[in-house]
Amino acid sequence: QVQLVESGGGLVQPGGSLRLSCAASGSTGSIYVTGWYRQAPGKQRESVAVLTTGLNIVYADSVKGRFTISTNSAKNTVYLQMNSLKPEDTAVYYCYCNFGSAGRYWGQGTQVTVSS
């Protein structure tokens, strides 16, 4: 059974940084598409950063230049480096992985709170 386990969320002051991790376990195979999404209270889930096969990356306009998505294939882990955090970045962050025939999965979510 495939599981995605996220970590790295927490409370940070405006201007600070956090790095989220999403570790995949189980019989996953290769990652075809992976991404980070977020959902703030009262709002719909939105895409933050998506990385596809061929290293094509799409960032939300609101995070361009501040967030970076990356992967470590050997560890089957996806990261989201978040710099210059703003209060409006406060949300629950979810990772997503498409393993092709092995299926598509979501992490359980990790809370990020940006506040002074």
Side-chain angles (χ1 to χ4, degrees):
Q1 184 177 356
V2 175
Q3 281 190 320
L4 300 181
V5 179
E6 298 157 359
S7 60
L11 173 64
V12 63
Q13 292 187 341
S17 297
L18 284 174
R19 189 176 82 155
L20 305 183
S21 299
C22 174
S25 62
S27 301
T28 62
S30 300
I31 297 175
Y32 286 83
V33 178
T34 186
W36 287 93
Y37 296 74
R38 67 187 181 188
Q39 188 167 17
K43 295 187 177 181
Q44 290 188 334
R45 189 175 297 189
E46 63 175 356
S47 171
V48 175
V50 177
L51 188 156
T52 64
T53 303
L55 299 181
N56 294 312
I57 301 176
V58 178
Y59 291 103
D61 288 343
S62 58
V63 307
K64 283 181 181 177
R66 301 189 298 122
F67 290 11
T68 304
I69 186 172
S70 62
T71 62
N72 183 323
S73 299
K75 295 183 178 180
N76 237 11
T77 300
V78 183
Y79 304 97
L80 184 68
Q81 178 67 43
M82 306 186 294
N83 299 326
S84 302
L85 282 161
K86 304 176 181 180
E88 50 263 44
D89 294 318
T90 295
V92 177
Y93 283 70
Y94 300 88
C95 72
Y96 165 82
C97 287
N98 179 342
F99 298 105
S101 60
R104 306 175 183 186
Y105 299 89
W106 288 92
Q108 81 284 359
T110 185
Q111 177 71 46
V112 172
T113 302
V114 184
S115 175
S116 54

